Amino acid sequence: MDMLRLFIIGICIGMANVIPGVSGGTLAVVFNIYDRFVNAITYNVKKLWANKRFVGPLISGMALGVLLFSKLITVLYEHFPVQTNFFFTGLIIGSLPMIFASTVKTDEGKKLSAGKYIGIFICVAAGLSALLFFSYLEGSFDGSTPDMTSALPDFTFKLAMRIFIAGYIGAIAMVIPGISGSLLMLILGVYTIVMKSIPSLFIPSEFFHALSLLLPNGIGVLIGLICGAKLVAWLLKKAPNHTYAVILGLLLGSAVNLFPGFTSIQNAGQAIACLLCVIVGAAMAYFSGRLAPADKGNA
């Protein structure tokens, strides 16, 4: 029964990880498995095997959740690209208050020094600059919606490295409650490639092409989960304000980069739908982030 419960929890976490702005780590907190999850994925192979009755059903459920929800995301971008991008923009906006609060958080009774404020500002600028640099490389300053109707890109070593890095960073983000790994993959420009590749695995003519694009991401996710969790824990322990400041910079840049623009709205009905998408997206991300601080200590 416990393995079935873990499998169902894994499905929920996997579905959350597909949605940019929604944190799988937060759901791990909500389901009261966060500490056990982080400890399991940071152990060595022998200890990981010792936790197989926990890790096995959880990871299997997460994989199924990703498979089920990736197709839905593909359909949304094919038929409602503008509304979907407004929804993602709302998710980013809703994430900002939680990240900002974490950026300036101090121990009770203490205040941030002027030097630390300067350091935080520099880290925000660094995160923002990194996002703009990636945007410049991709030529994505026009705010256009991701094209989910086009064919998968050809495999190249450069693309594979970018997909690997995005998977690695996304996996690291996944272990932080309130931080969305898929959102960072979206920022780094590989989210739509991965989402479109997953359902393509079930098309015989596209299987090997899709697999070649997913393997670098899968390897990056695996390494990020096993090795990156300790790095994140160390950074959040030693320099939490500056670590969250870099993430804040990434989010600020991504909100500008993903916003499809008001000119993409064609009529009043679409305008209302886009407004609702922004509101729903912002509310989902905001309340998802609000859950993490309250429950983390109980995990």
Side-chain angles (χ1 to χ4, degrees), residues 137-190:
L137 291 178
E138 293 302 311
S140 57
F141 283 109
D142 58 357
S144 59
T145 58
D147 185 4
M148 298 295 283
T149 61
S150 62
L152 290 173
D154 293 332
F155 177 88
T156 64
F157 179 76
K158 179 181 178 181
L159 178 60
M161 286 302 299
R162 184 154 58 86
I163 293 174
F164 168 81
I165 293 171
Y168 178 76
I169 295 175
I172 292 175
M174 193 183 74
V175 302
I176 309 174
I179 308 299
S180 168
S182 57
L183 178 58
L184 292 184
M185 290 177 63
L186 187 64
I187 292 170
L188 295 173
V190 305

Side-chain angles (χ1 to χ4, degrees), residues 87-99:
F87 175 72
F88 286 164
T89 302
L91 286 171
I92 296 171
I93 293 172
S95 300
L96 294 176
M98 187 274 294
I99 301 299

Side-chain angles (χ1 to χ4, degrees), residues 248-260:
L248 178 61
L250 287 169
L251 291 179
L252 288 171
S254 66
V256 176
N257 190 44
L258 287 173
F259 180 61

Side-chain angles (χ1 to χ4, degrees), residues 77-142:
Y77 261 125
E78 287 177 349
H79 299 284
F80 307 101
V82 177
Q83 295 91 328
T84 302
N85 235 30
F86 267 97
F87 175 72
F88 286 164
T89 302
L91 286 171
I92 296 171
I93 293 172
S95 300
L96 294 176
M98 187 274 294
I99 301 299
F100 178 77
S102 298
T103 301
V104 299
K105 184 179 179 180
T106 61
D107 295 332
E108 188 174 351
K110 294 184 178 180
K111 294 183 179 180
L112 291 175
S113 64
K116 180 160 282 191
Y117 271 116
I118 294 174
I120 288 173
F121 177 81
I122 293 173
C123 289
V124 171
L128 177 60
S129 299
L131 183 281
L132 295 179
F133 176 70
F134 277 110
S135 298
Y136 174 76
L137 291 178
E138 293 302 311
S140 57
F141 283 109
D142 58 357

